[in-house]
Amino acid sequence: MRPEFGLVYLPLSLAVIKKRARPFAGGSVVAFAWAYPLQDNLRYALLLLGLVLFLLGWPFEKQPVKFWERFVNAVIGGTALAIAVGAYQAGESLALLGIPVVLLILKNRVLASAGLLPSSALYLVGSYAAPEKAKLALWGITLVYSLHHLRKLVR
């Protein structure tokens, strides 16, 4: 993959200004840490920063997710978890992205939004048998869908 695609996650981390969107911003930093080629020590520092941004949203507001959004979240999360499990079996550290993806099954939009961008990063940099254009299409669709969640979080 081209590393420029990883830079897309940086402007999305500006959502940290709104308390309700801080878990989303944390997910953005985590996705950037894996999608952009970085040294391991910097990558793990960014992962820690993403966790801190996620926790800065505490206490999390309750914002319900509609049924069709939960269904889409389950599809995105399920495929991303399958990629993460494959990365774990291959011994790749990329499997750590599977941890925030589990948040997609929750009924709370504030918490579920933290798993959308890491799942799109898994689609982008995961090593699975799919053509390059299919990987980019999955990444783009998930990224645009995450903007739908972000719109509802910042209003």
Side-chain angles (χ1 to χ4, degrees):
M1 282 293 138
R2 296 178 19 199
E4 302 88 48
F5 292 129
L7 293 174
V8 171
Y9 297 111
L10 283 181
L12 295 175
S13 65
L14 294 176
V16 74
I17 296 168
K18 187 81 170 179
K19 183 178 186 264
R20 198 180 334 174
R22 286 182 184 151
F24 182 88
S28 173
V29 171
V30 168
F32 170 74
W34 287 104
Y36 196 75
L38 299 168
Q39 296 175 350
D40 282 342
N41 56 356
L42 182 58
R43 174 172 290 137
Y44 293 122
L46 284 175
L47 290 175
L48 185 61
L49 176 66
L51 178 64
V52 167
L53 289 177
F54 176 80
L55 293 176
L56 281 176
W58 182 265
F60 302 113
E61 293 182 26
K62 291 192 177 188
Q63 192 178 43
V65 180
K66 294 180 181 174
F67 178 74
W68 72 269
E69 293 171 323
R70 288 185 64 209
F71 178 76
V72 172
N73 286 353
V75 170
I76 290 171
T79 55
L81 278 177
I83 295 169
V85 167
Y88 176 74
Q89 290 175 348
E92 299 176 9
S93 59
L94 180 68
L96 287 174
L97 276 176
I99 296 169
V101 170
V102 176
L103 295 172
L104 282 172
I105 62 170
L106 299 176
K107 293 181 182 180
N108 188 349
R109 180 183 316 278
V110 176
L111 293 173
S113 68
L116 280 171
L117 294 176
S119 66
S120 70
L122 271 170
Y123 291 146
L124 184 64
V125 297
S127 55
Y128 55 98
E132 183 93 11
K133 291 192 183 224
K135 287 183 180 184
L136 286 176
L138 285 171
W139 173 73
I141 289 169
T142 307
L143 198 63
V144 169
Y145 177 67
S146 72
L147 294 177
H148 167 72
H149 276 270
L150 179 62
R151 178 185 63 88
K152 292 190 173 198
L153 289 172
V154 296
R155 61 177 161 149

